[in-house]
Amino acid sequence: MADVIEVGAARGDAPPPAASAARRRASAGRGGRLTPYLFLAPYLVLFTVFGALPIVLGVWLSLHQWDFQLPNRPFVGLDNYKELFSSDSAVYGDWWQSVRATAIFTVLSVPLLVVVPLGLAVLLNRSFPGRTFFRAVYFAPYVLGVAVIGLLWRFLLDANLGLVNRLLGVVGLPADTPWVTDVPWAWISLVGVTVWWTSGFNAVIYLAGLQDIPQELYEAAKVDGATAWERFRHVTLPGLRPVLLFVMTTTILASANVFGQSFLITQGAPGTETRTVVWFIVEEGLRDNDAGRAAAMSIVFALMLAVVSLANFRLFRYRED
């Protein structure tokens, strides 16, 4: 057979159909193996440029005393990391104070940002007149930028000129509450503004998850005599478990990375009580020109958030099992 193919090829005859089909399949196989990488190429390029390279550069900076105003940037190894855990260093107290502030804000805001949007989503998932309007109203604040939100509420919460205290005075409540200059009022302000601002986004995510729960499950539960709470507990929550995991993880990360609200509304007051980790890192890197120490703080903080995220995933997986 091989001799026939060679003779045919020598005479210029077309190869047998079986041989042509085999070559086409081989060519298609090679092209098929490359196709996924061609689709992944844009993402891989963006991830490399804006993800992997900044991480590598950040690690490199953290190992140096990197002052933008100095010509030499000596290698200091792990000294920048040791300063964060050494009680006699210059940044130890401020660093852990910012970690504490971030933890307080996260612990106070995350439960509200998980539960309140869920309640809104359950209500907005029902059929009633004006449902679309209310969905838009609850989502509208999220469209505004943090600068707009911060400046707006800084004015509204001002102890002397703010509209909030004026309204409280009208109804007979204390009209001199220091919403942005004293604790716990500063934390109440930051958490309240953040919940008002971002609840709409989580509510939309919950609404998308509620649409995927079969209505037959609710009807079957009603037939079995389940109450509204029992239907929510045994049908809605299990059906939303993947969505709950996504919402909780993203909310924890977003709350831990808070910066704009604290910077614009409370301005860290009282003192540095509400100065968060991201704010402190920005000050170290841009105000004090110590990019190496700021990079070390960023990496340590990222590792902290990674541990929290892994614990969150493990908790939800345990519940599912």
Side-chain angles (χ1 to χ4, degrees):
M1 182 65 181
D3 295 339
V4 174
I5 294 175
E6 292 178 358
V7 172
R11 294 201 307 263
D13 297 342
S20 299
R23 284 198 294 270
R24 286 196 298 270
R25 285 195 297 270
S27 177
R30 289 192 295 270
R33 287 192 294 269
L34 292 176
T35 300
Y37 297 100
L38 293 176
F39 281 102
L40 286 173
Y43 167 77
L44 293 176
V45 171
L46 292 175
F47 174 77
T48 300
V49 175
F50 298 103
L53 289 180
I55 292 175
V56 173
L57 178 60
V59 174
W60 175 255
L61 290 177
S62 70
L63 301 176
H64 293 75
Q65 184 182 349
W66 199 280
D67 191 331
F68 295 104
Q69 296 180 344
L70 298 179
N72 297 323
R73 302 177 178 94
F75 179 82
V76 295
L78 299 177
D79 288 352
N80 288 326
Y81 294 93
K82 294 178 181 178
E83 289 182 348
L84 302 180
F85 299 94
S86 178
S87 58
D88 58 350
S89 68
V91 298
Y92 176 84
D94 290 335
W95 160 250
W96 288 107
Q97 170 60 36
S98 67
V99 173
R100 175 179 175 273
T102 302
I104 291 175
F105 178 81
T106 303
V107 170
L108 293 177
S109 63
V110 169
L112 293 175
L113 288 171
V114 171
V115 174
V116 172
L118 177 58
L120 290 175
V122 172
L123 292 176
L124 295 175
N125 193 47
R126 299 181 178 182
S127 297
F128 58 89
R131 181 178 64 172
T132 303
F133 169 77
F134 284 104
R135 286 181 177 182
V137 167
Y138 284 116
F139 184 77
Y142 188 75
V143 179
L144 302 176
V146 66
V148 177
I149 296 297
L151 293 176
L152 172 65
W153 280 100
R154 174 71 186 184
F155 175 76
L156 292 176
L157 295 172
D158 186 270
N160 299 317
L161 304 175
L163 181 61
V164 173
N165 274 346
R166 287 179 177 269
L167 293 177
L168 291 176
V170 170
V171 297
L173 296 176
D176 56 350
T177 303
W179 293 106
V180 297
T181 57
D182 197 8
V183 291
W185 307 110
W187 289 120
I188 294 174
S189 300
L190 289 177
V191 172
V193 170
T194 302
V195 171
W196 171 81
W197 177 35
T198 60
S199 289
F201 175 78
N202 286 349
V204 170
I205 302 299
Y206 282 131
L207 278 171
L210 289 172
Q211 302 301 317
D212 292 335
I213 300 177
Q215 292 298 316
E216 292 80 4
L217 297 178
Y218 291 102
E219 295 174 0
K222 287 183 180 180
V223 171
D224 292 339
T227 63
W229 167 248
E230 291 173 338
R231 293 195 299 271
F232 175 79
R233 180 182 175 185
H234 298 290
V235 178
T236 303
L237 287 182
L240 287 178
R241 182 173 291 139
V243 178
L244 279 168
L245 174 60
F246 172 80
V247 169
M248 184 169 292
T249 302
T250 56
T251 302
I252 290 174
L253 296 177
S255 295
N257 284 278
V258 62
F259 168 68
Q261 300 96 297
S262 176
F263 183 77
L264 294 170
I265 298 176
T266 64
Q267 299 176 356
T272 59
E273 183 72 22
T274 58
R275 183 177 62 180
T276 59
V277 168
V278 175
W279 184 354
F280 187 53
I281 291 173
V282 171
E283 285 187 343
E284 283 293 314
L286 300 181
R287 188 193 67 182
D288 299 337
N289 295 318
D290 196 339
R293 184 182 292 167
M297 293 177 181
S298 300
I299 293 172
V300 171
F301 186 52
L303 293 176
M304 291 179 179
L305 295 183
V307 171
V308 173
S309 298
L310 290 175
N312 187 38
F313 274 93
R314 187 173 183 82
L315 175 64
F316 270 78
R317 185 178 63 181
Y318 171 77
R319 288 182 176 179
E320 184 177 359
D321 295 338

